[in-house]
Each structure stands twice: as C-alpha cells, then as structure tokens.
Amino acid sequence: MIPIRLSTILKAIGEDELLQESNDPMIHYVMNVSKRSIDNNTLVFHMDGEKINGKYWRKNKAIILITNRPDRCKNLGDSITLITCNHLEDVYWKFISYYRGLFDIPVIGVTGTCGKTTTKEMIRQILKKDFHVKGTWMSMNSMSVNLRYLMKLEKETEVAVYEMPVAYPGYLKVACDYFKPQIRVLLNIDVHHLTGFNSPEDYMLAKAEIISGMDPDKDVLILNADDENIRKVVDIRHLKRVIYVGKSEHCHFRATNIHYTEAGMKFDLVHEGKTYEAFVPGFGEHNVYNALAAIASVSFVGVDIGRAIDVLSSFKQVKEHLEIKKGVDGCTVLDDTWNAAPLSMETGLKVLTALSKNKKSIALLGYMPQLGKGKYASEQYEKMGKKAAKANLDMLVIVGEKAREIGMSAINLGMAESKVYYCETGDEVFDVIRNHLSNDTNILMKITYRVMKRDSFQRLRKQLIPIDKE
C-alpha cells in the first residue's frame, strides 16, 4: 500500500479527534482481522471482534487498533494504541472508499459462473505487456482477501483486474464496494453455489449484483449476449455503456468462423466493421467467449485490438482449467480438476466430444461440492447424466458416492451399463481405465481439487500424467 500518516487516515474516516498528538506514525499495512502475526506500522480494524492478547504484538512498533469491543483487548502494552469507536463498520468502509479513491486508474471486475479465472488471466497477460498491473492471484478470490488485494495497489499501479465470485446474496456487491470497477464483465450465469442460496434462481439473481454501484453514464458493462440467464436477471435499462460479446449479429465484439485447431481455437473477430483473425490456446467455444470478453475489456483501457489478439495467441493457460496434458501410453488428458460445477462439467464434456471424433473418450466425473445436497443438487446431477449420455462416451467413470446419480441418470437415458463404472479411490479409477490408455484415448478428468488432494488421487495423477510440470 501507499504509506499514509495515521492522522491522514483518521481525518478521512472522520475520527481525527481521537489522535494523540505524540502518536502519528506512518501506516504501512492495514488489516481487518486480529491475527497473531503482524508487522510494524500496522492499522488493525477489529472487524472480527475476536479476543486480542497484546502480548503477541509487544515486540512490534506503531500498532494502531480501532475497535468497538475494547473489553476484548487485553495486555496491550505501550507499543499498541487503542482507539475506541462505536461505529466501527462505518469507519472501516470509509477507509476502503478513501483508499480506493487514491487511485484514478482503470479497474476491471470479472464475474460469471465459469471462466472467471481464465478471463482474468487473459486480461492480465495482455495488460502486463504495457502496464503495471495488480489484481487477484490465480483463483484466490474469496471475500477474505479483498482488503489484501486492495492494499496491494501502489503508486506504480496503472491498472487492476479483479475476479469477483458469488457465494451468497450480497457477496458480489461487497466486492464491487471494495474495488469499484469501472469496467465490469459478466461471462455467464448457471447453477453453482447452491449451498449459500435457497434456490438456483436466487443464485442467478445474485450475479446481477455486478451492476451494484455502477455509474450509469460512465462505467462499462460487458455481457455475453448469447447467455439466456443474463438476459433474464440483469436489468440494464439505466446503463448507457453496455457492450455485448458473442456470436450474435448485434454483438459489439463478435466471433465468427469458430473452429478447433491442434493447439486451440481459431476464430474471426468482427468489431466496428473490421475483421481480425484470432487464435487462443485452449479448447472449447467457451474459451472464445473468454477471449472476446478479455479483448473487449482491455480495449477500454486503451489497448489496440490487434495487439490484444497478438498477445492472446501465446496465452499461458491456467493450471488445471481444462489443461491439455500428455498422459501415460500416449493418451491425452484434459485436466479440469480445479473445481467442479454443472456448467464447467458440461463444457468439459463438449470439449472431450469435439476432440474425440476418431478416438476413444473416457470421462472421470466427480461430485460438485458447491451444490450441497437436496432436491436442486439432485436435479443438477441428473442433468449431468443426460449430458454424459449425449456425449457418446466410450467409458464413464463416476468418482465418489455423491456423484453416483450422474451414472444412474446416464444409464436411464440409454447409456449402456457396461460403459459406466463407480469408483471411490484413485487407485480404483486407474485400475478401471489402465487397459484403455493409448494414443487413441482422450480422458476428461473432472474431479474437484478437494478430492484430488487425497493420497490415492495424487497417485492417480502421477500414474496418469507421469511427466506433469507442477
């Protein structure tokens, strides 16, 4: 962060009368939780309300603690300045607004049920060629890291790009309040975090929070024109700068002539009467939509479209996001094990089908943790069984009891029982598929990282992808 005098911060949040004349340190770090580990010259907003024992901070210098629960703060000592504030949440958000307001830079916010990380990385990789860029790291995008990311903005920062998820109602709005992006991207809307919602419809409505706090005259909203759910839940009538990407004729950034190549997707980009030839590494039409959104986003930062396309042609794919890897005995593995949701599983099956016209196709499908349990989750597993049956797979391997409904549904819809296997461990999975691995075999590995961390699935990865650069 930019170092700031405590007096300046207290004035900005309306608490300058609380400053002691002899104590006006320079603040280098800001926290909103009371962790034991802390650096010198840190301002702590006691937002978690946890008990604080100052003995852990006694070796530090210039620690400022703003709290509405002084009764929970003990043994503070001389190096810790306690500031009591009855309206802690208000002053905290005043600080967030103040610090974000120090930066007159373009900020891009990306959300969607699937593709957030890949699109954010596309944007970042394009921008870093010409700008000093900050933003979210990999897929680390939870609310708990919002402050940390905001505090990473510094004098040298020229543009920022943030991935913004939805876990429950209001979650996305909070991210918008932190980062205040002037360029916002909504890639798609499908079912995902049902554990935090009463229904799939509630989850979809929460994605509409992407427009929260937008300046209707200045801010840019980039939407997937071909996504039906976006059209249902996002009210854009008051917004003057809505940009559409997709395959439809009315799109501002339109993809035509989309086709697979040996290394990725080729397409023509049509924008303002001009046609550009484009290529992006990684397979699937979804990757073309991600690329369109990335190109549209950076164009509003001032990046030439031709240059953006050129940089994207050497895009480095995100680890375990439909990564293509060479497997044992010459097989090809589509490693999509970062997470699992209905839309991403459906996308993986589509890519597997497209790549396997003259090859054997095997899908390893596991449970989708954010769906939780109950009627809505069961409906989604049943739907995935339908997608698996439609994919014309040679083998369907169901991983874990929670995903069993996928296999049962596929069989009910006409898939031969002899093609469906149920496994609990990675060792069982490898035993099932090992005799089917060859140059003519493609495997979709759609097992969430929560499962892939287990020992037997670590062995499966090493057996299936013996030379894996991790």
Side-chain angles (χ1 to χ4, degrees):
M1 68 173 285
I2 298 175
I4 307 172
R5 284 283 174 197
L6 176 62
S7 58
T8 302
I9 293 175
L10 292 178
K11 183 176 181 180
I13 64 177
E15 301 294 329
D16 48 312
E17 75 278 2
L18 299 177
L19 179 67
Q20 302 173 16
E21 290 185 11
S22 60
N23 191 359
D24 188 16
M26 191 71 76
I27 299 299
H28 292 270
Y29 308 97
V30 176
M31 298 169 55
N32 59 5
V33 290
S34 48
K35 295 180 179 179
R36 287 189 179 186
S37 177
I38 194 170
D39 292 301
N40 295 332
N41 297 81
T42 296
L43 170 62
V44 181
F45 288 92
H46 191 198
M47 303 299 291
D48 58 0
E50 294 292 326
K51 290 182 179 180
I52 293 177
N53 191 330
K55 69 179 183 179
Y56 297 112
W57 296 349
R58 283 180 180 171
K59 294 182 180 180
N60 299 98
K61 298 178 181 178
I63 305 301
I64 311 299
L65 176 60
I66 301 181
T67 183
N68 60 354
R69 293 297 306 273
D71 58 301
R72 299 182 70 83
C73 307
K74 307 296 184 183
N75 304 316
L76 297 186
D78 297 333
S79 63
I80 303 171
T81 298
L82 183 69
I83 297 178
T84 302
C85 173
N86 293 326
H87 41 285
L88 179 63
E89 188 167 345
D90 287 344
V91 299
Y92 174 73
W93 280 105
K94 285 181 181 178
F95 170 76
I96 296 300
S97 182
Y98 159 72
Y99 193 79
R100 170 62 182 87
L102 296 177
F103 300 90
D104 184 17
I105 60 173
V107 175
I108 303 169
V110 182
T111 195
T113 300
C114 293
K116 295 184 294 295
T117 302
T118 298
T119 303
K120 180 264 301 179
E121 277 300 299
M122 287 180 174
I123 293 169
R124 188 189 67 83
Q125 289 182 31
I126 294 169
L127 292 174
K128 74 175 186 178
K129 295 290 185 179
D130 300 298
F131 299 93
H132 188 282
V133 185
K134 291 290 185 179
T136 41
W137 181 76
M138 295 298 289
S139 295
M140 302 297 120
N141 58 22
S142 69
M143 188 184 294
S144 63
V145 294
N146 284 347
L147 177 64
R148 191 188 317 165
Y149 284 132
L150 184 65
M151 292 298 99
K152 287 184 180 294
L153 296 179
E154 52 196 7
K155 289 181 179 178
E156 295 79 12
T157 306
E158 296 174 293
V159 61
V161 53
Y162 298 106
E163 179 181 337
M164 305 189 304
V166 164
Y168 50 78
Y171 204 91
L172 182 54
K173 180 183 181 301
V174 169
C176 291
D177 289 344
Y178 268 96
F179 305 126
K180 296 178 174 59
Q182 311 98 324
I183 303 165
R184 307 188 186 196
V185 180
L186 178 52
L187 297 166
N188 44 58
I189 303 178
D190 195 73
V191 178
H192 192 194
H193 284 273
L194 295 186
T195 52
F197 296 88
N198 293 323
S199 69
E201 290 73 24
D202 287 345
Y203 167 79
M204 293 179 186
L205 284 170
K207 281 294 184 186
E209 294 173 12
I210 186 62
I211 66 174
S212 176
M214 284 188 70
D215 184 320
D217 297 314
K218 297 179 181 179
D219 292 348
V220 175
L221 179 63
I222 299 171
L223 298 177
N224 178 347
D226 303 329
D227 189 286
E228 293 182 5
N229 289 326
I230 289 178
R231 293 196 294 271
K232 290 177 183 177
V233 303
V234 181
D235 186 356
I236 60 169
R237 289 173 294 180
H238 64 297
L239 302 176
K240 295 182 179 178
R241 303 186 73 190
V242 179
I243 302 299
Y244 289 102
V245 301
K247 297 188 292 185
S248 309
E249 288 190 7
H250 70 281
C251 289
H252 301 86
F253 292 80
R254 182 187 177 203
T256 64
N257 192 28
I258 301 171
H259 58 280
Y260 282 71
T261 70
E262 288 187 3
M265 306 300 293
K266 275 192 175 182
F267 62 98
D268 291 333
L269 170 61
V270 182
H271 175 67
E272 294 184 349
K274 294 183 179 180
T275 301
Y276 305 81
E277 291 184 1
F279 167 80
V280 60
F283 294 108
E285 279 201 4
H286 69 286
N287 224 25
V288 175
Y289 281 94
N290 295 340
L292 290 174
I295 293 167
S297 298
V298 300
S299 73
F300 287 98
V301 179
V303 178
D304 177 76
I305 291 176
R307 177 163 177 76
I309 290 172
D310 182 60
V311 176
L312 269 187
S313 67
S314 57
F315 170 66
K316 185 178 180 181
Q317 280 187 270
V318 181
K319 179 183 176 183
E320 296 167 4
H321 287 62
L322 262 182
E323 258 191 303
I324 305 298
K325 296 178 178 178
K326 205 65 180 175
V328 67
D329 295 331
C331 73
T332 298
V333 180
L334 286 69
D335 186 350
D336 201 25
T337 55
W338 175 250
N339 208 347
L343 182 57
S344 65
M345 190 172 287
E346 179 182 352
T347 297
L349 287 169
K350 285 181 179 179
V351 173
L352 178 63
T353 299
L355 294 177
S356 303
K357 291 179 180 178
N358 299 309
K359 293 187 175 185
K360 181 179 292 186
S361 60
I362 300 174
L364 315 180
L365 306 183
Y367 90 111
M368 295 172 272
Q370 280 82 18
L371 289 183
K373 302 177 181 179
K375 179 182 73 171
Y376 297 122
S378 182
E379 288 174 355
Q380 293 303 314
Y381 285 112
E382 185 177 338
K383 176 183 174 183
M384 284 306 106
K386 182 178 180 180
K387 299 296 182 182
K390 187 178 178 181
N392 195 29
L393 301 168
D394 292 287
M395 292 181 67
L396 172 60
V397 181
I398 303 301
V399 179
E401 182 65 28
K402 294 178 181 178
R404 193 175 183 84
E405 284 185 78
I406 298 175
M408 296 169 61
S409 173
I411 293 170
N412 289 337
L413 289 164
M415 191 170 187
E417 284 191 56
S418 60
K419 293 184 176 182
V420 182
Y421 299 81
Y422 301 95
C423 299
E424 290 295 327
T425 69
D427 299 325
E428 290 176 3
V429 172
F430 191 70
D431 285 343
V432 165
I433 66 175
R434 66 190 310 168
N435 293 329
H436 301 274
L437 305 179
S438 71
N439 289 318
D440 294 322
T441 304
N442 290 332
I443 302 171
L444 170 64
M445 192 156 60
K446 190 62 176 171
I447 307 168
T448 181
Y449 68 95
R450 300 186 188 191
V451 175
M452 290 303 298
K453 290 191 297 185
R454 299 174 188 169
D455 290 344
S456 71
F457 287 92
Q458 288 292 305
R459 288 194 295 273
L460 170 64
R461 184 188 291 280
K462 290 177 181 178
Q463 290 171 310
L464 196 53
I465 316 169
I467 306 175
D468 194 6
K469 296 178 182 179
E470 291 193 290

